Amino acid sequence: PYCINNSGTIAGSWTDSGGISHGFARAPDGTITSFDPTGSTGTGAEAINASGDIAGLYYDSKRDGHGFVREPDGTFVIFDPKQSIFTDAAAIDDSGTVAGFYHGKTETQHGFVRAPDGTITTFDAPNAAYGTYAVAIDKDGTTTGFYIDAKGSVLGFTRNADGTIAAFHAPKAPNGTTPAAIQNRGAITGSVQSKSFKYRGFLRIP
């Protein structure tokens, strides 16, 4: 299990005896439905919204990764930013807007937001040198995640729906600030690393 919506529907992944992963949805009455996009050699369900739309990624026979949204009726929408060979649809809001990250042949990760009409906007956090990872999105389209700068430092960021990006670093976290989730009021939580490389949680209030 990886995520749950307000109605109690759970989504996640399971692995069969051959080592192949598949997605699943568990309804509030306990009914479990397994699923895979056509041609999948490994499926991961990562996020679910109030309508039951599930976002995630799957691998094809070449082991390239693709983003997907599975609608409640079982219909799949498959997508990739241009030139992507790995797309991770990490988050979905109630409007159907998806946020995540991808990389091309250089393997440097970039963030993206996919609107409900299919329009994909890609972005990089300012000063990102070794990757931008969008991992969560709220009801207003504010995305959060982390990026790695030229010094190898990991910093958090927020990206508003208008494209404005702001970086942040939790106090006493010289070795990294890694957001994991954002609530609809804008509060962000995640983990940080101290000087001794110990992990601690953080809560960032808007």
PDB file of all heavy atoms in Angstrom, residues 77-98:
ATOM      1  N   VAL A  77      -4.346   6.374 -19.224  1.00  0.00           N
ATOM      2  CA  VAL A  77      -3.764   7.452 -20.015  1.00  0.00           C
ATOM      3  C   VAL A  77      -2.258   7.370 -19.806  1.00  0.00           C
ATOM      4  O   VAL A  77      -1.777   7.482 -18.678  1.00  0.00           O
ATOM      5  CB  VAL A  77      -4.289   8.832 -19.588  1.00  0.00           C
ATOM      6  CG1 VAL A  77      -3.601   9.927 -20.388  1.00  0.00           C
ATOM      7  CG2 VAL A  77      -5.802   8.904 -19.737  1.00  0.00           C
ATOM      8  N   ILE A  78      -1.529   7.136 -20.897  1.00  0.00           N
ATOM      9  CA  ILE A  78      -0.069   7.003 -20.836  1.00  0.00           C
ATOM     10  C   ILE A  78       0.559   8.289 -21.354  1.00  0.00           C
ATOM     11  O   ILE A  78       0.100   8.858 -22.352  1.00  0.00           O
ATOM     12  CB  ILE A  78       0.413   5.816 -21.685  1.00  0.00           C
ATOM     13  CG1 ILE A  78      -0.363   4.547 -21.327  1.00  0.00           C
ATOM     14  CG2 ILE A  78       1.912   5.606 -21.517  1.00  0.00           C
ATOM     15  CD1 ILE A  78      -0.255   4.123 -19.888  1.00  0.00           C
ATOM     16  N   PHE A  79       1.621   8.757 -20.715  1.00  0.00           N
ATOM     17  CA  PHE A  79       2.240  10.002 -21.174  1.00  0.00           C
ATOM     18  C   PHE A  79       3.709  10.050 -20.792  1.00  0.00           C
ATOM     19  O   PHE A  79       4.168   9.367 -19.874  1.00  0.00           O
ATOM     20  CB  PHE A  79       1.519  11.220 -20.580  1.00  0.00           C
ATOM     21  CG  PHE A  79       1.576  11.285 -19.082  1.00  0.00           C
ATOM     22  CD1 PHE A  79       2.625  11.933 -18.442  1.00  0.00           C
ATOM     23  CD2 PHE A  79       0.593  10.703 -18.307  1.00  0.00           C
ATOM     24  CE1 PHE A  79       2.698  11.989 -17.061  1.00  0.00           C
ATOM     25  CE2 PHE A  79       0.651  10.762 -16.921  1.00  0.00           C
ATOM     26  CZ  PHE A  79       1.703  11.403 -16.304  1.00  0.00           C
ATOM     27  N   ASP A  80       4.440  10.893 -21.524  1.00  0.00           N
ATOM     28  CA  ASP A  80       5.846  11.180 -21.269  1.00  0.00           C
ATOM     29  C   ASP A  80       6.152  12.585 -21.743  1.00  0.00           C
ATOM     30  O   ASP A  80       5.675  12.986 -22.810  1.00  0.00           O
ATOM     31  CB  ASP A  80       6.767  10.221 -22.034  1.00  0.00           C
ATOM     32  CG  ASP A  80       6.701   8.799 -21.536  1.00  0.00           C
ATOM     33  OD1 ASP A  80       7.205   8.546 -20.432  1.00  0.00           O
ATOM     34  OD2 ASP A  80       6.142   7.940 -22.245  1.00  0.00           O
ATOM     35  N   PRO A  81       6.939  13.345 -20.989  1.00  0.00           N
ATOM     36  CA  PRO A  81       7.472  14.582 -21.552  1.00  0.00           C
ATOM     37  C   PRO A  81       8.337  14.254 -22.774  1.00  0.00           C
ATOM     38  O   PRO A  81       8.828  13.127 -22.913  1.00  0.00           O
ATOM     39  CB  PRO A  81       8.318  15.161 -20.406  1.00  0.00           C
ATOM     40  CG  PRO A  81       7.744  14.548 -19.169  1.00  0.00           C
ATOM     41  CD  PRO A  81       7.327  13.166 -19.585  1.00  0.00           C
ATOM     42  N   LYS A  82       8.539  15.236 -23.638  1.00  0.00           N
ATOM     43  CA  LYS A  82       9.352  15.013 -24.827  1.00  0.00           C
ATOM     44  C   LYS A  82      10.766  14.563 -24.450  1.00  0.00           C
ATOM     45  O   LYS A  82      11.348  15.073 -23.501  1.00  0.00           O
ATOM     46  CB  LYS A  82       9.429  16.292 -25.657  1.00  0.00           C
ATOM     47  CG  LYS A  82       8.104  16.687 -26.309  1.00  0.00           C
ATOM     48  CD  LYS A  82       8.251  17.952 -27.129  1.00  0.00           C
ATOM     49  CE  LYS A  82       6.925  18.325 -27.780  1.00  0.00           C
ATOM     50  NZ  LYS A  82       7.043  19.584 -28.569  1.00  0.00           N
ATOM     51  N   GLN A  83      11.270  13.590 -25.170  1.00  0.00           N
ATOM     52  CA  GLN A  83      12.628  13.053 -25.030  1.00  0.00           C
ATOM     53  C   GLN A  83      12.827  12.271 -23.739  1.00  0.00           C
ATOM     54  O   GLN A  83      13.941  11.868 -23.416  1.00  0.00           O
ATOM     55  CB  GLN A  83      13.677  14.164 -25.145  1.00  0.00           C
ATOM     56  CG  GLN A  83      13.626  14.899 -26.478  1.00  0.00           C
ATOM     57  CD  GLN A  83      14.672  15.990 -26.603  1.00  0.00           C
ATOM     58  OE1 GLN A  83      15.196  16.502 -25.615  1.00  0.00           O
ATOM     59  NE2 GLN A  83      14.995  16.339 -27.837  1.00  0.00           N
ATOM     60  N   SER A  84      11.756  12.007 -23.009  1.00  0.00           N
ATOM     61  CA  SER A  84      11.890  11.236 -21.770  1.00  0.00           C
ATOM     62  C   SER A  84      12.066   9.750 -22.071  1.00  0.00           C
ATOM     63  O   SER A  84      11.412   9.198 -22.955  1.00  0.00           O
ATOM     64  CB  SER A  84      10.656  11.418 -20.889  1.00  0.00           C
ATOM     65  OG  SER A  84      10.710  10.559 -19.757  1.00  0.00           O
ATOM     66  N   ILE A  85      12.942   9.105 -21.305  1.00  0.00           N
ATOM     67  CA  ILE A  85      13.033   7.645 -21.331  1.00  0.00           C
ATOM     68  C   ILE A  85      12.676   7.062 -19.960  1.00  0.00           C
ATOM     69  O   ILE A  85      12.659   5.853 -19.785  1.00  0.00           O
ATOM     70  CB  ILE A  85      14.425   7.152 -21.778  1.00  0.00           C
ATOM     71  CG1 ILE A  85      15.522   7.641 -20.828  1.00  0.00           C
ATOM     72  CG2 ILE A  85      14.720   7.589 -23.205  1.00  0.00           C
ATOM     73  CD1 ILE A  85      16.887   7.056 -21.130  1.00  0.00           C
ATOM     74  N   PHE A  86      12.394   7.948 -19.010  1.00  0.00           N
ATOM     75  CA  PHE A  86      11.911   7.530 -17.692  1.00  0.00           C
ATOM     76  C   PHE A  86      11.023   8.629 -17.140  1.00  0.00           C
ATOM     77  O   PHE A  86      11.467   9.760 -16.950  1.00  0.00           O
ATOM     78  CB  PHE A  86      13.070   7.278 -16.722  1.00  0.00           C
ATOM     79  CG  PHE A  86      12.606   7.012 -15.315  1.00  0.00           C
ATOM     80  CD1 PHE A  86      12.233   5.740 -14.922  1.00  0.00           C
ATOM     81  CD2 PHE A  86      12.519   8.044 -14.389  1.00  0.00           C
ATOM     82  CE1 PHE A  86      11.783   5.504 -13.628  1.00  0.00           C
ATOM     83  CE2 PHE A  86      12.070   7.816 -13.097  1.00  0.00           C
ATOM     84  CZ  PHE A  86      11.702   6.537 -12.722  1.00  0.00           C
ATOM     85  N   THR A  87       9.750   8.318 -16.911  1.00  0.00           N
ATOM     86  CA  THR A  87       8.788   9.280 -16.386  1.00  0.00           C
ATOM     87  C   THR A  87       8.140   8.708 -15.141  1.00  0.00           C
ATOM     88  O   THR A  87       7.602   7.599 -15.170  1.00  0.00           O
ATOM     89  CB  THR A  87       7.689   9.583 -17.425  1.00  0.00           C
ATOM     90  OG1 THR A  87       8.292  10.068 -18.633  1.00  0.00           O
ATOM     91  CG2 THR A  87       6.704  10.619 -16.901  1.00  0.00           C
ATOM     92  N   ASP A  88       8.193   9.452 -14.050  1.00  0.00           N
ATOM     93  CA  ASP A  88       7.588   9.031 -12.796  1.00  0.00           C
ATOM     94  C   ASP A  88       6.465   9.994 -12.449  1.00  0.00           C
ATOM     95  O   ASP A  88       6.710  11.156 -12.103  1.00  0.00           O
ATOM     96  CB  ASP A  88       8.628   9.010 -11.679  1.00  0.00           C
ATOM     97  CG  ASP A  88       8.120   8.375 -10.399  1.00  0.00           C
ATOM     98  OD1 ASP A  88       6.888   8.268 -10.234  1.00  0.00           O
ATOM     99  OD2 ASP A  88       8.951   7.986  -9.558  1.00  0.00           O
ATOM    100  N   ALA A  89       5.214   9.532 -12.563  1.00  0.00           N
ATOM    101  CA  ALA A  89       4.057  10.335 -12.175  1.00  0.00           C
ATOM    102  C   ALA A  89       3.857  10.146 -10.678  1.00  0.00           C
ATOM    103  O   ALA A  89       3.203   9.205 -10.239  1.00  0.00           O
ATOM    104  CB  ALA A  89       2.827   9.902 -12.953  1.00  0.00           C
ATOM    105  N   ALA A  90       4.432  11.031  -9.890  1.00  0.00           N
ATOM    106  CA  ALA A  90       4.534  10.826  -8.445  1.00  0.00           C
ATOM    107  C   ALA A  90       3.340  11.340  -7.652  1.00  0.00           C
ATOM    108  O   ALA A  90       3.140  10.924  -6.512  1.00  0.00           O
ATOM    109  CB  ALA A  90       5.805  11.500  -7.923  1.00  0.00           C
ATOM    110  N   ALA A  91       2.544  12.248  -8.229  1.00  0.00           N
ATOM    111  CA  ALA A  91       1.464  12.876  -7.459  1.00  0.00           C
ATOM    112  C   ALA A  91       0.334  13.290  -8.390  1.00  0.00           C
ATOM    113  O   ALA A  91       0.557  13.573  -9.573  1.00  0.00           O
ATOM    114  CB  ALA A  91       2.000  14.093  -6.710  1.00  0.00           C
ATOM    115  N   ILE A  92      -0.883  13.323  -7.858  1.00  0.00           N
ATOM    116  CA  ILE A  92      -2.051  13.772  -8.629  1.00  0.00           C
ATOM    117  C   ILE A  92      -3.006  14.498  -7.694  1.00  0.00           C
ATOM    118  O   ILE A  92      -3.246  14.054  -6.565  1.00  0.00           O
ATOM    119  CB  ILE A  92      -2.747  12.589  -9.335  1.00  0.00           C
ATOM    120  CG1 ILE A  92      -3.869  13.074 -10.252  1.00  0.00           C
ATOM    121  CG2 ILE A  92      -3.241  11.547  -8.335  1.00  0.00           C
ATOM    122  CD1 ILE A  92      -4.409  11.992 -11.183  1.00  0.00           C
ATOM    123  N   ASP A  93      -3.530  15.636  -8.143  1.00  0.00           N
ATOM    124  CA  ASP A  93      -4.481  16.355  -7.300  1.00  0.00           C
ATOM    125  C   ASP A  93      -5.908  16.034  -7.736  1.00  0.00           C
ATOM    126  O   ASP A  93      -6.143  15.266  -8.678  1.00  0.00           O
ATOM    127  CB  ASP A  93      -4.191  17.863  -7.289  1.00  0.00           C
ATOM    128  CG  ASP A  93      -4.504  18.560  -8.607  1.00  0.00           C
ATOM    129  OD1 ASP A  93      -5.112  17.940  -9.507  1.00  0.00           O
ATOM    130  OD2 ASP A  93      -4.146  19.751  -8.746  1.00  0.00           O
ATOM    131  N   ASP A  94      -6.891  16.627  -7.063  1.00  0.00           N
ATOM    132  CA  ASP A  94      -8.280  16.275  -7.320  1.00  0.00           C
ATOM    133  C   ASP A  94      -8.791  16.751  -8.670  1.00  0.00           C
ATOM    134  O   ASP A  94      -9.812  16.256  -9.160  1.00  0.00           O
ATOM    135  CB  ASP A  94      -9.175  16.806  -6.198  1.00  0.00           C
ATOM    136  CG  ASP A  94      -8.970  16.053  -4.893  1.00  0.00           C
ATOM    137  OD1 ASP A  94      -8.387  14.952  -4.934  1.00  0.00           O
ATOM    138  OD2 ASP A  94      -9.389  16.563  -3.826  1.00  0.00           O
ATOM    139  N   SER A  95      -8.087  17.699  -9.297  1.00  0.00           N
ATOM    140  CA  SER A  95      -8.483  18.143 -10.630  1.00  0.00           C
ATOM    141  C   SER A  95      -7.922  17.238 -11.720  1.00  0.00           C
ATOM    142  O   SER A  95      -8.297  17.350 -12.884  1.00  0.00           O
ATOM    143  CB  SER A  95      -7.996  19.579 -10.874  1.00  0.00           C
ATOM    144  OG  SER A  95      -6.587  19.609 -11.115  1.00  0.00           O
ATOM    145  N   GLY A  96      -6.993  16.355 -11.337  1.00  0.00           N
ATOM    146  CA  GLY A  96      -6.348  15.481 -12.312  1.00  0.00           C
ATOM    147  C   GLY A  96      -4.999  15.978 -12.779  1.00  0.00           C
ATOM    148  O   GLY A  96      -4.379  15.364 -13.656  1.00  0.00           O
ATOM    149  N   THR A  97      -4.515  17.069 -12.196  1.00  0.00           N
ATOM    150  CA  THR A  97      -3.181  17.557 -12.518  1.00  0.00           C
ATOM    151  C   THR A  97      -2.145  16.630 -11.884  1.00  0.00           C
ATOM    152  O   THR A  97      -2.255  16.289 -10.711  1.00  0.00           O
ATOM    153  CB  THR A  97      -2.971  18.990 -12.016  1.00  0.00           C
ATOM    154  OG1 THR A  97      -3.925  19.851 -12.630  1.00  0.00           O
ATOM    155  CG2 THR A  97      -1.570  19.491 -12.346  1.00  0.00           C
ATOM    156  N   VAL A  98      -1.155  16.234 -12.676  1.00  0.00           N
ATOM    157  CA  VAL A  98      -0.130  15.291 -12.232  1.00  0.00           C
ATOM    158  C   VAL A  98       1.202  16.012 -12.106  1.00  0.00           C
ATOM    159  O   VAL A  98       1.544  16.872 -12.935  1.00  0.00           O
ATOM    160  CB  VAL A  98       0.013  14.125 -13.234  1.00  0.00           C
ATOM    161  CG1 VAL A  98       1.134  13.176 -12.817  1.00  0.00           C
ATOM    162  CG2 VAL A  98      -1.308  13.375 -13.361  1.00  0.00           C
TER     163      VAL A  98
END
